[in-house]
């Protein structure tokens, strides 16, 4: 086990789970990740292996067939998986946000219907807030759900769905004016709809189209898509929690979990970049000695390792805060912001240590260099995190004049 990014106070069960996941990453993910990434190929065998390990049910309660583990355990597993290939961590992150939202906000019937199959990985989750024209401004969504008897009719276009093609259950945020008079605050007139669909592309159910994969700079292998709803009919019992107007709060609760996940991904990618940098620096010789013996390179390694350690500590703190039942939006925002920024910096330093070879697709660091930027924008940009952090700090430190 490496010296960096250790977590104190873990139980024997947590340590056993992490050891199993790390072993799986070293044997089943790292050897094939770069090849699959360059081909933009979905990691089917890796996903089957994650199913066998029970990772799709990691945070789902035992009564529904899951392992009932904490957010901390999940985040540490994500850190390990992202160390192998960040795209794989994305496959389970969106799944878990939906499972978490169901667990926290779903009706008993919704939990009984979906959670046991989600724990097995038979039903795979995706969630959808963003739209082509709005980015981080969730309050400006235009997709609508209109009540029609015992059903809702959904119309609109959504953007940036991780797992949009491979998922079979999508939590979709739409505006719903039912019971919300004119002038209601935008965030109080949103509803989360549980949309079941067939995996794949094209028209996956009447009124629902997944046009195809978006071609991306990095974060390949995992499918990122649009979602187009054209008079899509959803039964009323597929409103999350059977309550309209609660969608924004439900999604934000899920995104807090997602932000801890993105922080964990940043930690994992940074760890791998450090491993690659420190290894290469001891093998590459210039001026008659390994470049690791040059002070300039040692300074880089020292900075990289410190950033890995700091990001890990903040991520663990944010996960533990949520596990304790406390509000963690401040800690999750800080962890996501710091881990994603440090990840970019650590990856760039590892890239510089590799010199010209870092630019070659033969070397793993080239893949990490293209993956790290996604973390700067996923689950809310750095700027959004700073807005959240700033507002929460002003609440906590309100001036008493």
């Amino acid at each position: 086990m490496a010296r960096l990014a250790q977590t104190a106070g873990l139980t024997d069960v947590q340590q056993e789970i992490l050891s199993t996941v790390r072993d799986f990453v070293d044997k089943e993910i790292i050897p094939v990740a770069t090849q699959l990434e360059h081909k933009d190929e979905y990691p089917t065998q890796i996903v089957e292996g994650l199913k066998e390990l029970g990772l799709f049910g990691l945070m789902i309660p035992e009564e529904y067939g899951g392992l009932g583990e904490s957010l901390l355990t999940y985040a540490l597993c994500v850190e390990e998986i992202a160390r192998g290939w960040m795209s794989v961590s994305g496959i389970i992150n969106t799944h878990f946000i939906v499972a978490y939202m169901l667990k926290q906000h779903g009706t008993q019937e919704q939990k009984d219907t979906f959670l046991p199959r989600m724990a097995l990985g038979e039903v795979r989750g995706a969630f959808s807030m963003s739209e082509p024209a709005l980015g981080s401004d969730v309050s400006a969504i235009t997709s609508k759900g209109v009540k029609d008897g015992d059903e809702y009719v959904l119309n609109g276009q959504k953007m940036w769905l991780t797992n949009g093609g491979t998922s079979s259950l999508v939590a979709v945020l739409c505006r719903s004016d039912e019971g919300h008079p004119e002038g209601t605050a935008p965030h109080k007139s949103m509803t989360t709809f549980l949309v079941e669909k067939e995996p794949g592309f094209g028209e996956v159910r009447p009124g629902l189209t997944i046009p195809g994969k978006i071609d991306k700079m990095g974060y390949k292998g995992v499918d990122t898509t649009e979602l187009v709803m054209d008079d899509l009919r959803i039964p009323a019992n597929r409103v999350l929690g059977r309550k309209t107007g609660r969608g924004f709060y439900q999604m934000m609760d899920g995104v807090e979990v997602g932000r801890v996940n993105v922080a964990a991904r940043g930690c994992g990618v940074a760890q791998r970049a450090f491993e690659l940098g420190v290894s290469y620096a001891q093998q590459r010789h210039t001026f008659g000695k390994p470049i690791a013996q040059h002070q300039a390179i040692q300074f880089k390694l020292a900075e990289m390792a410190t950033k890995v350690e700091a990001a890990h500590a903040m991520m663990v703190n944010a996960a533990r805060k949520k596990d304790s039942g406390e509000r963690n939006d401040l800690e999750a925002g800080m962890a996501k912001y710091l881990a994603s920024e440090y990840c970019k910096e650590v990856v760039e330093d590892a890239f510089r240590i590799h010199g010209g070879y870092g630019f070659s697709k033969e070397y793993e660091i080239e893949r990490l260099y293209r993956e790290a930027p996604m973390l700067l924008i996923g689950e809310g940009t750095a700027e959004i995190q700073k807005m959240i952090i700033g507002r929460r700090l002003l609440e906590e430190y309100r001036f008493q004049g």
Side-chain angles (χ1 to χ4, degrees), residues 216-251:
K216 309 183 296 289
M217 174 177 79
Y219 198 37
K220 293 176 179 285
V222 61
D223 50 291
T224 306
T225 73
E226 298 173 73
L227 178 147
V228 181
M229 301 174 290
D230 183 12
D231 289 340
L232 170 64
R233 303 192 78 87
I234 299 293
N237 66 358
R238 289 297 171 257
V239 170
L240 181 60
R242 292 297 295 262
K243 290 180 182 174
T244 61
R246 298 290 300 165
F248 182 82
Y249 301 103
Q250 294 163 346
M251 283 279 180

Side-chain angles (χ1 to χ4, degrees), residues 7 51 63 169 172 200 267 293 309 382 393:
T7 311
K51 279 189 196 175
E63 65 198 273
L169 177 66
V172 182
C267 292
Q293 291 181 21
E309 197 76 342
L393 289 173

Side-chain angles (χ1 to χ4, degrees), residues 24-308:
F24 179 82
V25 168
D26 286 339
K27 291 178 179 173
E28 306 296 335
I29 298 183
I30 288 176
V32 299
T34 297
Q35 180 187 1
L36 290 174
E37 198 269 352
H38 286 163
K39 292 195 287 186
D40 199 4
E41 184 176 321
Y42 188 78
T44 304
Q45 277 187 286
I46 292 172
V47 169
E48 289 303 314
L50 295 176
K51 279 189 196 175
E52 287 175 26
L53 291 178
L55 284 190
F56 281 99
L58 191 63
M59 269 180 73
I60 293 173
E62 291 180 18
E63 65 198 273
Y64 300 106
L67 297 178
E69 273 295 333
S70 63
L71 177 58
L72 175 63
T73 309
Y74 169 60
L76 294 174
C77 287
V78 165
E79 183 179 41
E80 292 292 351
I81 292 167
R83 186 183 139 263
W85 183 14
M86 193 185 74
S87 293
V88 178
S89 65
I91 291 169
I92 58 172
N93 179 41
T94 48
H95 176 84
F96 263 108
I97 288 176
V98 178
Y100 175 82
M101 287 166 62
L102 273 163
K103 182 184 79 167
Q104 295 297 104
H105 307 288
T107 65
Q108 194 59 51
E109 182 269 334
Q110 289 167 352
K111 294 177 191 176
D112 292 341
T113 299
F114 294 115
L115 289 180
R117 289 185 293 152
M118 291 185 83
L120 295 172
E122 290 173 2
V123 167
R124 302 253 291 287
F127 77 106
S128 175
M129 289 192 294
S130 191
E131 294 180 3
L134 60 87
S136 296
D137 185 8
V138 179
S139 65
I141 65 170
T142 58
S143 298
K144 286 196 75 169
V146 178
K147 200 165 193 327
D148 182 23
D150 290 333
E151 294 181 315
Y152 286 83
V153 180
L154 275 51
N155 283 283
Q157 183 178 1
K158 309 299 279 187
M159 192 71 176
W160 306 119
L161 271 81
T162 301
N163 291 335
T166 45
S167 58
S168 44
L169 177 66
V170 187
V172 182
L173 188 65
C174 293
R175 193 168 300 291
S176 61
D177 297 330
E178 181 216 0
H180 309 293
E182 194 76 30
T184 300
H187 66 280
K188 292 184 177 177
S189 61
M190 296 183 192
T191 297
T192 305
F193 294 92
L194 300 170
V195 178
E196 298 170 79
K197 70 174 187 66
E198 289 298 315
F201 299 98
E203 190 170 18
V204 290
R205 68 175 277 180
L208 181 65
T209 301
I210 306 292
K213 290 201 299 185
I214 296 167
D215 197 15
K216 309 183 296 289
M217 174 177 79
Y219 198 37
K220 293 176 179 285
V222 61
D223 50 291
T224 306
T225 73
E226 298 173 73
L227 178 147
V228 181
M229 301 174 290
D230 183 12
D231 289 340
L232 170 64
R233 303 192 78 87
I234 299 293
N237 66 358
R238 289 297 171 257
V239 170
L240 181 60
R242 292 297 295 262
K243 290 180 182 174
T244 61
R246 298 290 300 165
F248 182 82
Y249 301 103
Q250 294 163 346
M251 283 279 180
M252 290 303 110
D253 190 24
V255 164
E256 278 185 22
V257 172
R259 284 180 178 148
V260 173
N261 169 286
V262 173
R265 287 197 239 180
C267 292
V269 173
Q271 281 178 44
R272 185 61 183 159
F274 174 79
E275 289 170 8
L276 294 170
V278 77
S279 173
Y280 184 83
Q282 293 171 80
Q283 297 171 57
R284 172 81 164 139
H285 285 67
T286 62
F287 306 105
K289 59 184 178 182
I291 62 171
Q293 291 181 21
H294 294 295
Q295 191 179 61
I297 301 299
Q298 287 182 12
F299 280 4
K300 280 195 191 305
L301 294 173
E303 290 167 4
M304 291 159 71
T306 303
K307 288 171 182 175
V308 165

